[in-house]
Amino acid sequence: MDRPQVVSAQDWQAAREALLAKEKELTRAQDALAAERRRMPMVRIGGEGGAGGEYVFEGPDGQASLLDLFEGRRQLIVYSFMWLGADTFCSGCSMFTDNIGHLSHLHARDTTVALVSRGPMAEITPFKERMGWTIPWFSSLGNDFNDDMGAGDGFALNVFLRDGDTVYRTYLTTGRGVERLGSGWTFLDLTPFGRQETWEDSPEGRPQTSPYTWWRLHDEYEV
């Protein structure tokens, strides 16, 4: 088995510093990209009324609209989980879901996360319980949400913003764009409000507070 070259501590430190310079450059580029993403335009969902009510989902408590998926919060991230049937589960989507983390940190930033699948709740619910997931999960089997939102029979992640009862779509990613996600910070970077911290380059009027001060243990939030 091939292994990295063994060098002196001085040479290792020099190599580390050279790589660190590139890593910092990438971080700054990612911050700039996130700032550009926060300035993306958005498109109304639901036609002239914009209520987002044209999609009827099935959830654990019955029917739900896209507006219901927000759970009263202003931002919504929806991951379209590829559904292959009750006996064949998507390992990639499952790995992604395993890495989402505790939702309370996102809720503290007025952001909801939900899963949507083109499968019946009678099959989704047992699998969700088997995996031990608590993320809200809805069936889109009876509507065109997956097709309209770029998922089709596959997977995709969409971000929405709510203004009263009007819902807007602000972002879409799929493929390897989904692979790089998996923490509260990277999810918030996809939203129009971002991490909502004062160091960010955000348009005037977006919600912002000092960094660190809002961070809590997940059972200490009041939201």
Side-chain angles (χ1 to χ4, degrees), residues 66-79 100 103-115 134-138 157-162 187-188 191 196:
L66 182 59
L67 190 63
D68 293 329
L69 270 58
F70 280 80
E71 297 180 341
R73 300 182 183 92
R74 286 190 293 180
Q75 300 189 126
L76 171 66
I77 298 173
V78 176
Y79 180 70
I100 288 178
L103 297 180
S104 60
H105 304 294
L106 296 174
H107 294 171
R109 282 336 222 178
D110 217 5
T111 303
T112 299
V113 175
L115 304 178
T134 59
I135 302 170
W137 200 341
F138 298 85
L157 185 144
N158 281 272
V159 180
F160 303 92
L161 180 67
R162 179 179 67 86
F187 282 127
L188 289 172
T191 67
Q196 302 166 50

Side-chain angles (χ1 to χ4, degrees), residues 66-99:
L66 182 59
L67 190 63
D68 293 329
L69 270 58
F70 280 80
E71 297 180 341
R73 300 182 183 92
R74 286 190 293 180
Q75 300 189 126
L76 171 66
I77 298 173
V78 176
Y79 180 70
S80 294
F81 190 113
M82 185 188 303
W83 197 253
L84 305 174
D87 299 319
T88 307
F89 303 107
C90 178
S91 58
C93 290
S94 298
M95 187 181 299
F96 171 81
T97 304
D98 279 334
N99 284 279

Side-chain angles (χ1 to χ4, degrees), residues 156-174:
L157 185 144
N158 281 272
V159 180
F160 303 92
L161 180 67
R162 179 179 67 86
D163 183 6
D165 288 342
T166 304
V167 176
Y168 300 91
R169 184 189 191 195
T170 66
Y171 185 69
L172 160 71
T173 190
T174 187

Side-chain angles (χ1 to χ4, degrees), residues 1-178:
M1 181 178 66
D2 184 46
R3 298 181 300 173
Q5 180 184 5
V6 178
V7 298
S8 67
Q10 183 178 7
D11 287 344
W12 182 90
Q13 186 63 38
R16 175 67 192 108
E17 290 176 1
L19 185 62
L20 179 60
K22 294 180 179 179
E23 289 174 336
K24 288 185 175 181
E25 182 180 354
L26 176 60
T27 297
R28 289 190 289 269
Q30 289 174 331
D31 287 343
L33 187 62
E36 185 175 347
R37 187 184 296 114
R38 288 191 290 275
R39 290 165 171 79
M40 278 266 297
M42 58 187 183
V43 61
R44 186 197 304 262
I45 301 295
E48 291 298 324
E54 63 184 53
Y55 300 113
V56 179
F57 301 91
E58 188 70 25
D61 300 319
Q63 291 187 341
S65 67
L66 182 59
L67 190 63
D68 293 329
L69 270 58
F70 280 80
E71 297 180 341
R73 300 182 183 92
R74 286 190 293 180
Q75 300 189 126
L76 171 66
I77 298 173
V78 176
Y79 180 70
S80 294
F81 190 113
M82 185 188 303
W83 197 253
L84 305 174
D87 299 319
T88 307
F89 303 107
C90 178
S91 58
C93 290
S94 298
M95 187 181 299
F96 171 81
T97 304
D98 279 334
N99 284 279
I100 288 178
H102 208 287
L103 297 180
S104 60
H105 304 294
L106 296 174
H107 294 171
R109 282 336 222 178
D110 217 5
T111 303
T112 299
V113 175
L115 304 178
V116 166
S117 285
R118 198 177 254 172
M121 287 303 299
E123 296 179 0
I124 291 173
T125 301
F127 181 59
K128 177 184 176 183
E129 293 174 351
R130 171 186 163 188
M131 294 290 100
W133 295 330
T134 59
I135 302 170
W137 200 341
F138 298 85
S139 169
S140 59
L141 192 59
N143 64 45
D144 296 326
F145 180 84
N146 281 39
D147 289 332
D148 293 347
M149 299 300 146
D153 290 325
F155 67 95
L157 185 144
N158 281 272
V159 180
F160 303 92
L161 180 67
R162 179 179 67 86
D163 183 6
D165 288 342
T166 304
V167 176
Y168 300 91
R169 184 189 191 195
T170 66
Y171 185 69
L172 160 71
T173 190
T174 187
R176 296 199 65 187
V178 172

